[in-house]
Amino acid sequence: MITLPASSFSNAEDRARRLRREAGITMILGALLLGVFGLTLMLGQSYTPPGEVLRVLLGEEVPGAAFTVGQLRLPRAAMSILAGMSFGLAGVAFQIMLRNPLASPDIIGISSGASAAAVFAIVVLSLSGTAVSVFAVMAGLGVAMTIYALAFRDGVVGTRLILIGIGVSAMLDSFIAYVLLQAPEWTLQEALRWLTGSVNSVRLDQAAALAGSLFVFGGLLLSRTRELEALRLGDDSAAALGVNVTWTRITVIVAAVGLIAMATAVTGPIAFVAFLAGPIAVRILGPRASLLIPSALVGALLVLASDYVGQFLLPSRYPVGVVTGALGAPYLIYLIVRANRTGRSL
């Protein structure tokens, strides 16, 4: 008869307890997201009873509510959730892969690449709609691959990739500013609205396209959960555990950039959601938890709640990107100050 050491049972019990806690918190986040989604459909400039909201969701033609809920509130809320999930999932994937909270797509230049392409398409090429989205997606992928290639030297070091990404982002932001200075008045407003990050005037068919992107690229990221968890330990440790580090990095980058580029192409670069979702999930679940799904839920909550705040709880109406930017900037300063005080890297 083989007797296992008591520590084995203790470790197994601790792991099971941690997994139950993670599952419970994830379910609470999901329930909270569902509750906020319901409230945004009911509350606005007017109140719509829950029964009428449910009838609209089931496809019934309810006088008044069919337009208010079905045409105005539902597309906006659905897009907020899908974009927030895309940003949150992609952001935490980069942060885990590079083991640095600054390694989010809106910090290292990927969102700037998509934005620069979209502004060029709107102002210079006079394009709109799907064509602008295609430009943004292709540019996001191209900038990500460029940054990765510039940072690659016997592998990719997270700090080097972040610094190169920040430099590329600065150049792209300068390009955006130059194009806007040359823009005629009739395209300047559209470009500026797009750059702010907004879910105004979105349509359900756009939400369907973003849902497809989330299904494909998000599913690809979730299929690499084990490899991402191994990368937390460092490249050498991950390789020792049988992970193909280079291939995993490329797969994660392509999937994360696909999510960011598609979401940015529809809503514009909603500031700091990709940056904030992962750290908030870490605060809630702890550093050892599996963070992909919780970060996606946190990202969705951030965008959905921020959009409602910007529309109805402030003196004037503001796009969602203004509200998330006001939340994210202080946290970025906090990270830098903390690193400076402790003498450690970010």
Side-chain angles (χ1 to χ4, degrees):
M1 181 178 176
I2 299 176
T3 303
L4 294 176
S7 61
S8 298
F9 292 107
S10 177
N11 290 337
E13 290 176 359
D14 289 343
R15 178 175 173 78
R17 189 180 302 113
R18 180 167 59 85
L19 291 176
R20 286 196 298 269
R21 178 177 177 274
E22 290 176 18
I25 293 175
T26 302
M27 291 176 65
I28 291 172
L29 286 172
L32 182 60
L33 177 60
L34 187 62
V36 175
F37 174 69
L39 287 175
T40 60
L41 296 184
M42 290 187 291
L43 303 177
Q45 291 184 322
S46 62
Y47 171 71
T48 304
E52 292 187 7
V53 171
L54 183 59
R55 289 169 60 194
V56 171
L57 293 177
L58 293 175
E60 293 185 31
E61 191 67 29
V62 182
F67 176 75
T68 303
V69 176
Q71 300 297 320
L72 298 181
R73 296 177 186 172
L74 179 59
R76 192 182 193 103
M79 185 61 72
S80 296
I81 290 174
L82 293 170
M85 283 186 169
S86 298
F87 286 125
L89 192 56
V92 78
F94 271 102
Q95 290 165 338
I96 291 173
M97 180 180 68
L98 299 174
R99 292 181 295 150
N100 193 310
L102 275 183
S104 71
D106 44 2
I107 301 294
I108 63 175
I110 295 169
S111 297
S112 294
S115 299
V119 169
F120 182 81
I122 292 170
V123 174
V124 178
L125 303 180
S126 300
L127 300 177
S128 61
T130 304
V132 175
S133 299
V134 171
F135 260 76
V137 170
M138 297 306 296
L141 290 169
V143 168
M145 292 297 104
T146 300
I147 294 171
Y148 186 85
L150 291 173
F152 190 89
R153 188 176 63 196
D154 298 326
V156 173
V157 178
T159 304
R160 184 164 65 235
L161 186 144
I162 291 168
L163 290 175
I164 290 173
I166 291 173
V168 171
S169 178
M171 290 189 293
L172 291 169
D173 289 343
S174 298
F175 173 78
I176 292 171
Y178 173 77
V179 173
L180 291 178
L181 284 173
Q182 310 302 316
E185 185 177 348
W186 57 86
T187 58
L188 179 61
Q189 186 174 359
E190 182 183 355
L192 287 174
R193 184 200 64 79
W194 195 94
L195 283 172
T196 304
S198 172
V199 290
N200 294 334
S201 304
V202 295
R203 305 184 309 273
L204 279 179
D205 61 325
Q206 293 175 310
L210 190 52
S213 164
L214 186 60
F215 178 79
V216 173
F217 292 120
L220 183 58
L221 275 181
L222 292 175
S223 72
R224 293 291 181 269
T225 299
R226 187 187 71 83
E227 289 86 348
L228 273 173
E229 294 296 326
L231 286 175
R232 284 184 175 186
L233 305 174
D235 290 0
D236 293 338
S237 298
L241 292 172
V243 175
N244 186 329
V245 174
T246 300
W247 178 246
T248 298
R249 284 186 185 278
I250 292 173
T251 303
V252 170
I253 287 173
V254 169
V257 170
L259 286 172
I260 287 290
M262 283 297 297
T264 302
V266 177
T267 65
I270 301 178
F272 290 124
V273 176
F275 176 56
L276 287 172
I280 291 174
V282 170
R283 293 285 183 182
I284 296 172
L285 286 99
R288 296 174 57 195
S290 180
L291 297 174
L292 291 181
I293 293 178
S295 296
L297 295 173
V298 169
L301 277 167
L302 276 173
V303 178
L304 189 61
S306 296
D307 181 58
Y308 188 84
V309 169
Q311 291 299 302
F312 301 111
L313 301 185
L314 296 176
S316 300
R317 290 195 170 192
Y318 295 98
V320 61
V322 172
V323 180
T324 58
L327 293 173
Y331 183 74
L332 176 59
I333 295 172
Y334 161 74
L335 277 182
I336 296 172
V337 170
R338 187 186 66 174
N340 183 55
R341 287 179 175 176
T342 60
R344 295 181 299 180
S345 66
L346 288 167

